[in-house]
Amino acid sequence: MPHITIQMYPGRDAATKKRLADAILETASKELAREKEHFSVSIVDVPQDEWKQKVYDKVKTDKNTIIQPGYEM
């Protein structure tokens, strides 16, 4: 049962977040050949001043990160 977590800066409204989650769910369902009910999606707002510590530093060193950030901090 895949769970997808999206981390991003705050500021998007609930409707935008729902559209994003739906689009990612659609793609994941298709690519993994699983019905949508097998997935869950969460969106976590991370303040910009906490981004480096809470997200960037972790994904830069995580061997499971498939696509590395294309920016430096």
Side-chain angles (χ1 to χ4, degrees):
M1 303 299 189
H3 175 74
I4 301 163
T5 302
I6 303 163
Q7 295 174 296
M8 62 185 180
Y9 289 167
R12 278 80 172 195
D13 61 29
T16 300
K17 291 177 180 181
K18 177 72 166 105
R19 284 192 308 274
L20 175 60
D22 287 341
I24 289 173
L25 174 62
E26 184 72 34
T27 298
S29 173
K30 180 180 174 185
E31 290 299 320
L32 298 177
R34 302 288 297 177
E35 296 298 320
K36 292 177 187 176
E37 58 266 13
H38 293 276
F39 294 84
S40 55
V41 179
S42 62
I43 296 179
V44 178
D45 288 334
V46 179
Q48 188 173 356
D49 62 338
E50 298 175 15
W51 187 262
K52 185 176 185 321
Q53 175 193 4
K54 289 187 173 181
V55 179
Y56 183 83
D57 289 345
K58 291 178 182 179
V59 300
K60 287 297 283 187
T61 59
D62 184 349
K63 65 181 174 122
N64 295 310
T65 300
I66 304 299
I67 300 173
Q68 289 287 328
Y71 58 92
E72 297 292 326
M73 293 193 88

